[in-house]
Amino acid sequence: MSTVTSRRAPAATTPTPHRRTALDWRIRFGALSLIWGFSFLLIKVGTEGYAPFQVTFGRLLFGTAVLAAAMVVKRERLPRGARTWGHLAVAAFLLNALPFSLFAYSELTIPSTLAGICNATSPLWGMALSLVALSEDRPTRLRVAGLGIGFLGVLTVLGVWQGFHGLDATGTAMALLASLSYPIGWIYVRRTLAGTGHSHLSMTGAQLLLATAQLAFVTPLFTTLPGRFPVVPLLAIAALGALGTGLAMLVQYGIVAEVGPTTAQMVTYFIPVIATAAGVAILGESLTWSTPVGAVIVLAGAALTQAKTRR
């Protein structure tokens, strides 16, 4: 659930171009959209058998295993330097450990469809941060308008005219905070880890490794070992980590290197659509008119916040 600028497990460095792969990038783009869109369904299924911290720990563990295997195949080494690892530890917390845990906890009380839509607000949060000078991106009138439209869409999704009736405020706030954590993490990464000279795969692998270590420390403090291990939730966690975190990051890297970040970040606008369809069709989650309408408004606002000015 990460795009180039703000999604599920972003990398700490900008990838360098490489030759095209045999599989067309459009097919990989569609696969990436499906993987990240179904991630919210997998989180929901995982939390039906395990505690949220356990879901997050398993997700990171399986994701790290995939990247470790890729590093072995490509003969990549982990980055060196205590300062680099210190910055990576902060990035791991802001971009992986914290948002993954918040989404897992939020889906205890809110539908996966709502969590997927909240995830799409990350570009809006990034624009809001630029207004308070926490980002180097300069706001424009068009992007500010997108910010206003986007948050109008959030209010539509939440049904503000009904007093947020039927929604869990705590769970919704957790999902929105998870989305806020991504742009904060990206601002930190750009200011501390840009131009380190290490490869994308090396930095991403180290970042996920640190996030896994953080959850390995936290999880036993707040959870107890399950008395039984339900198979379906466990498989959901494995798929969430291996596919939704590990493999998805490798696919994302390839798309960015081939067609650039501007095209690659368009995956952001497909994730809530797929998450909503999966939640309704597979999990039987209810859907009122305000949810899809609000989601469209959110995505329109998010698209405007990413608009580039022409000279």
Side-chain angles (χ1 to χ4, degrees):
M1 299 175 266
S2 92
T3 64
V4 179
T5 55
S6 59
R7 291 287 137 264
R8 311 262 157 244
T13 57
T14 302
T16 55
H18 61 78
R19 65 181 182 179
R20 295 184 179 183
T21 59
L23 194 62
D24 188 83
W25 73 266
R26 297 172 185 83
I27 298 176
R28 287 177 279 134
F29 182 94
L32 185 61
S33 302
L34 286 172
I35 291 172
W36 273 336
F38 271 87
S39 292
F40 297 94
L41 179 149
L42 295 174
I43 293 173
K44 173 68 76 173
V45 174
T47 55
E48 291 177 354
Y50 300 92
F53 274 138
Q54 293 170 343
V55 172
T56 304
F57 174 66
R59 173 182 187 174
L60 290 168
L61 186 64
F62 283 107
T64 302
V66 171
L67 289 185
M71 290 180 65
V72 171
V73 171
K74 296 186 177 183
R75 297 182 179 180
E76 292 273 1
R77 294 183 178 181
L78 292 172
R80 297 180 180 180
R83 186 171 184 177
T84 298
W85 279 88
H87 289 315
L88 281 172
V90 177
F93 175 75
L94 292 173
L95 295 173
N96 304 116
L98 178 61
F100 289 0
S101 298
L102 286 173
F103 273 123
Y105 269 101
S106 72
E107 292 199 38
L108 291 177
T109 55
I110 67 173
S112 65
T113 54
L114 179 56
I117 293 172
C118 287
N119 180 75
T121 63
S122 282
L124 304 179
W125 291 120
M127 183 64 218
L129 291 174
S130 72
L131 293 177
V132 295
L134 292 180
S135 171
E136 62 270 24
D137 297 327
R138 298 182 61 183
T140 63
R141 291 182 179 180
L142 182 63
R143 298 177 72 185
V144 172
L147 178 65
I149 292 173
F151 281 110
L152 177 63
V154 173
L155 295 177
T156 303
V157 171
L158 300 180
V160 65
W161 60 90
Q162 298 175 337
F164 308 107
H165 178 70
L167 292 177
D168 181 76
T170 301
T172 304
M174 284 184 175
L176 291 173
L177 285 174
S179 301
L180 171 61
S181 181
Y182 290 126
I184 293 176
W186 263 105
I187 292 171
Y188 180 84
V189 163
R190 287 199 300 266
R191 292 185 176 183
T192 61
L193 290 169
T196 59
H198 299 290
S199 72
H200 170 97
L201 180 58
S202 174
M203 296 289 278
T204 304
Q207 181 181 310
L208 273 192
L209 178 63
L210 288 169
T212 305
Q214 292 168 359
L215 263 295
F217 174 77
V218 171
T219 301
L221 298 179
F222 295 94
T223 65
T224 57
L225 190 66
R228 60 188 184 90
F229 294 87
V231 176
V232 173
L234 184 59
L235 291 176
I237 295 172
L240 180 64
L243 300 178
T245 303
L247 179 62
M249 293 172 69
L250 295 176
V251 173
Q252 177 200 21
Y253 166 54
I255 295 175
V256 172
E258 184 172 332
V259 300
T262 301
T263 300
Q265 74 180 8
M266 294 299 293
V267 71
T268 303
Y269 309 115
F270 292 90
I271 293 173
V273 177
I274 296 172
T276 300
V280 172
I282 299 177
L283 297 180
E285 295 177 344
S286 60
L287 188 69
T288 61
W289 69 267
S290 61
T291 300
V293 171
V296 171
I297 298 174
V298 167
L299 294 177
L304 289 177
T305 64
Q306 303 301 302
K308 303 295 183 181
T309 56
R310 294 183 179 179
R311 293 184 182 275

